[in-house]
Amino acid sequence: MARTASPRAAEDPAGLGRAGAAAITAPALLVVAAFLVFPALWTLYLGTTNYRLTGFAARHPHGVGLQNYTNVVQDPGFHHSLWLTLEYVLLSAVVGQAALGFAIAWMLRDATGWLKRLIEALVLLAWILPSSVVAFLWVAMLDRDSGTLNALLHTPGTAWAIEHPMAVIIVFNIWRGTAFSMLLYSAALTSVPPSQLATARMFGANSWQQLRDVVFPHIRGHILTNLLLISLWTFNDFTPYQITAGGPNGKSQILPVYIYQTALFDGQMGLGAAISLLMLLINLIVALVYLRLLRERRREPVAA
Amino acid sequence: MTDPSPRAVVAKIGRYTFLSVLLGFFALPMLWLASAPFNAHPTLDVSISSFTLHNFSVLLKDPYALPSLWNSLLLAGGTALLTVGFAAAAAYALSRVRVPGRDGILYTLLLLSSIVTGTAAMVPLFQLAFKLHLIDSRVGVILVFTGGLIPAAIFILKDFTDGTPKSYEESARVFGASPFQIMRHIVLPMIRPGLATVTVWAVVNVWSNFLIPYILVRNPDKYPASVVLYTFYTEGGQPNLALISAFSLLYSIPVVVLYLFVSHRYGFRFHGGIKR
């Protein structure tokens, strides 16, 4: 004899019940609580101790209040690292990846055939290969004695990674991350009505005017989304360490590398945690702006 | 058609110049990966002289190369299993049972997972592993990865579950199936594409990750491929190029194959759902 489905069944079709639902949700929440939420909160506490990896302070750490924070704020090495990070994120993500990604998407929007497929495949390959592999490919290409770049440019003996470390990691990151912007803008460009572009062309608008008056207003939301995401990823990227290790003499010591070398290499865990907190805060601000943006875009009426 | 105007010719030349430079920029670093593994004398410049498979026998002899690929496989497989298992269960419960403040919890988790990256949290993560005696433990590395991947995995899988009709589950329940049977025989088969998506995404993430094992694993026998490759070219004076080139290729192939499989099967999207 079959029961008729009660209205409650619509809310719980498999008959899990509240307790059952809680039980099967628990493992996921526990792992997240222990290995994601707790570390973030613990950073707050660690930053106020004189914790070290080795020696007396490793066994008997004690609170030093806000000493770490004042030390960090006054440390010229930290200021230097902050500037390098800003330069790295702005030039490699906001300017480099976004502009190149858009240029490729725009150039190839109507293209078909092998050239388009080849370029897209290579750009994607640079994005999906493991970071250790691409880091070594660049080390090999830039090598002083037998690198491909010196052979091409006839500049034997130029040690690019030592003479221009920031330029190297910036160009590397453009090469590495352009794929995402390219994919996102390719998708966004399909939403621009061809009729409007045709009209603009009929009135004699050149390419730049078409972009400015028709395309950009249509994909403004995509542009912002893209800039926020690639900035966040670039800021949290550790791959440059595998190419220059922050060197020479800290000339390419962006914030992630600075934290690694302070906390895990020199063993100043408390100080490292204080800098980590700042990094978490910057991430939080970027992510909140992003969420805000998404919510606004959802409220917008769909453009006809 | 009339002759193309000079301006159009210039525009065309400009376009193809740009595309050629672009092609060179993206292809140049890759050439070494394509040629050196099969080159008898792999130097750092790109050259194709004598084809050989000798470099792969060097790889087989190295005490760390193949074991590290096995380690990577263990870490990636373990993380994918835990992430998919835990996230699927949680996603199903959150999709079907009304929990107060559900959406708020989900969004907070997602926000956290994008903020608390391995890079920003390396200090407390190392400290936590140290306190729990999880340094040099594969379980520790897997748990750290899983914690970071679960929020987004729940999101993706909940999308799939929301998109499947409830009527099958209801009728199975009418015929007396237990919740466990319903999940196993009805829900899981229906969200299979979602499970595949999350699995591939978790595997690729872990397979390529360098920083987490770099800080949590001290014993070279337990290094995954990402860390071993880094030690190949940074430790000890002259990098062994025969080994590095063959190893890089071997280590890259699974990622490329997975990517080709996914894009061939589903078309390449960032995240999918039956609804869209």
Side-chain angles (χ1 to χ4, degrees):
Chain A
M1 161 92 201
R3 289 173 300 156
T4 46
S6 65
R8 289 253 334 271
E11 274 174 33
D12 186 8
L16 268 175
R18 278 263 167 96
I24 64 169
T25 313
L29 292 185
L30 280 176
V31 175
V32 170
F35 291 94
L36 192 74
V37 182
F38 176 71
L41 295 176
W42 205 25
T43 313
L44 283 169
Y45 162 77
L46 281 176
T48 62
T49 64
N50 68 342
Y51 214 101
R52 296 191 68 96
L53 264 182
T54 49
F56 181 76
R59 262 159 313 176
H60 308 283
H62 61 86
V64 291
L66 296 178
Q67 189 64 51
N68 283 325
Y69 294 95
T70 48
N71 285 352
V72 167
V73 171
Q74 289 162 358
D75 178 16
F78 171 73
H79 297 172
H80 176 67
S81 171
L82 213 49
W83 274 117
L84 290 181
T85 311
L86 194 68
E87 183 188 345
Y88 176 63
V89 172
L90 274 181
L91 293 178
S92 80
V94 175
V95 176
Q97 287 182 12
L100 190 59
F102 183 83
I104 300 171
W106 177 250
M107 280 263 186
L108 300 177
R109 70 191 182 285
D110 303 322
T112 46
W114 65 269
L115 187 63
K116 177 181 180 157
R117 279 203 300 275
L118 179 65
I119 289 179
E120 284 187 341
L122 282 171
V123 175
L124 277 171
L125 195 59
W127 192 42
I128 60 172
L129 285 176
S131 65
S132 300
V133 174
V134 290
F136 181 74
L137 290 181
W138 277 70
V139 168
M141 191 176 71
L142 303 170
D143 188 74
R144 178 196 301 231
D145 300 317
S146 49
T148 318
L149 193 63
N150 282 339
L152 267 183
L153 301 176
H154 304 294
T155 48
T158 310
W160 296 94
I162 292 172
E163 287 170 35
H164 311 282
M166 275 314 280
V168 163
I169 63 171
I170 286 167
V171 173
F172 162 79
N173 194 46
I174 294 173
W175 179 88
R176 170 82 164 151
T178 293
F180 179 80
S181 304
M182 177 186 84
L183 288 170
L184 194 134
Y185 288 139
S186 294
L189 285 175
T190 57
S191 73
V192 179
S195 58
Q196 291 190 16
L197 279 173
T199 312
R201 265 199 302 272
M202 216 166 63
F203 284 106
N206 62 27
S207 289
W208 167 242
Q209 287 163 332
Q210 286 174 42
L211 283 176
R212 192 191 58 197
D213 299 334
V214 181
V215 176
F216 288 149
H218 261 284
I219 62 168
R220 196 184 304 131
H222 293 99
I223 294 175
L224 271 173
T225 298
N226 182 47
L227 290 183
L228 286 168
L229 284 177
I230 59 180
S231 301
L232 191 68
W233 292 337
T234 299
F235 180 53
N236 286 274
D237 182 24
F238 197 71
T239 315
Y241 172 84
Q242 292 176 268
I243 299 176
T244 64
N249 305 326
K251 280 201 186 96
S252 60
Q253 202 178 35
I254 50 174
L255 217 49
V257 179
Y258 185 74
I259 292 176
Y260 174 81
Q261 288 174 335
T262 304
L264 297 159
F265 196 78
D266 300 340
Q268 304 180 66
M269 298 294 277
L271 198 61
I275 312 164
S276 297
L277 184 69
L278 183 95
M279 210 169 155
L280 288 167
L281 285 177
I282 294 174
N283 283 350
L284 179 68
I285 291 164
V286 176
L288 286 176
V289 173
Y290 175 62
L291 281 182
R292 185 77 194 269
L293 192 78
L294 280 187
R295 213 173 300 150
E296 275 172 19
R297 277 179 63 189
R298 233 174 258 141
R299 276 204 221 107
E300 277 173 19
V302 180
Chain B
M1 279 300 280
T2 50
D3 283 337
S5 67
R7 213 179 123 185
V9 173
V10 170
K12 210 168 177 104
I13 291 174
R15 176 188 155 89
Y16 280 102
T17 311
F18 174 78
L19 291 178
S20 312
V21 171
L22 198 68
L23 210 55
F25 177 56
F26 280 97
L28 201 59
M30 309 274 191
L31 291 176
W32 190 85
L33 186 62
S35 68
F38 309 103
N39 196 323
H41 312 284
T43 51
L44 291 171
D45 46 10
V46 175
S47 63
I48 298 174
S49 51
S50 40
F51 182 86
T52 174
L53 290 177
H54 163 261
N55 298 346
F56 289 91
S57 67
V58 173
L59 178 105
L60 292 175
K61 286 195 197 89
D62 188 86
Y64 296 116
L66 284 180
S68 78
L69 287 167
W70 171 243
N71 290 334
S72 285
L73 198 64
L74 282 177
L75 295 179
T79 305
L81 267 178
L82 271 191
T83 304
V84 170
F86 288 180
Y92 179 68
L94 291 170
S95 167
R96 293 295 194 250
V97 179
R98 194 164 296 176
V99 183
R102 177 185 68 188
D103 292 350
I105 294 170
L106 276 175
Y107 274 101
T108 311
L109 281 184
L110 200 59
L111 183 70
L112 266 171
S113 73
S114 55
I115 294 167
V116 189
T117 57
T119 317
M122 64 175 114
V123 178
L125 282 174
F126 173 84
Q127 200 60 339
L128 184 66
F130 189 73
K131 286 265 194 236
L132 297 174
H133 301 290
L134 288 173
I135 298 289
D136 262 346
S137 134
R138 289 195 183 99
V139 174
V141 178
I142 287 172
L143 283 172
V144 168
F145 277 131
T146 306
L149 295 175
I150 276 183
I154 292 180
F155 240 85
I156 294 170
L157 290 171
K158 188 175 163 295
D159 226 26
F160 277 90
T161 323
D162 287 345
T164 56
K166 294 176 184 174
S167 46
Y168 301 115
E169 293 150 61
E170 282 159 6
S171 40
R173 192 180 166 192
V174 167
F175 286 104
S178 72
F180 181 73
Q181 285 172 315
I182 292 177
M183 274 191 272
R184 199 174 142 198
H185 296 293
I186 295 172
V187 181
L188 285 183
M190 281 206 296
I191 60 167
R192 193 167 287 153
L195 299 175
T197 307
V198 173
T199 305
V200 168
W201 171 71
V203 165
V204 169
N205 251 298
V206 177
W207 186 261
S208 306
N209 189 293
F210 167 79
L211 179 64
I212 300 290
Y214 186 62
I215 60 175
L216 297 184
V217 181
R218 288 272 172 268
N219 176 356
D221 292 328
K222 291 192 178 171
Y223 280 164
S226 55
V227 179
V228 158
L229 180 56
Y230 182 69
T231 59
F232 280 164
Y233 71 89
T234 51
E235 285 172 18
Q238 280 299 318
N240 180 345
L241 294 179
L243 178 62
I244 292 176
S245 60
F247 185 79
S248 298
L249 190 66
L250 209 57
Y251 169 45
S252 303
I253 285 172
V255 179
V256 178
V257 168
L258 266 181
Y259 166 78
L260 288 174
F261 167 75
V262 169
S263 61
H264 175 76
R265 184 91 185 262
Y266 304 105
F268 192 68
R269 301 188 302 262
F270 296 113
H271 51 83
I274 291 171
K275 286 185 299 192
R276 288 186 208 110

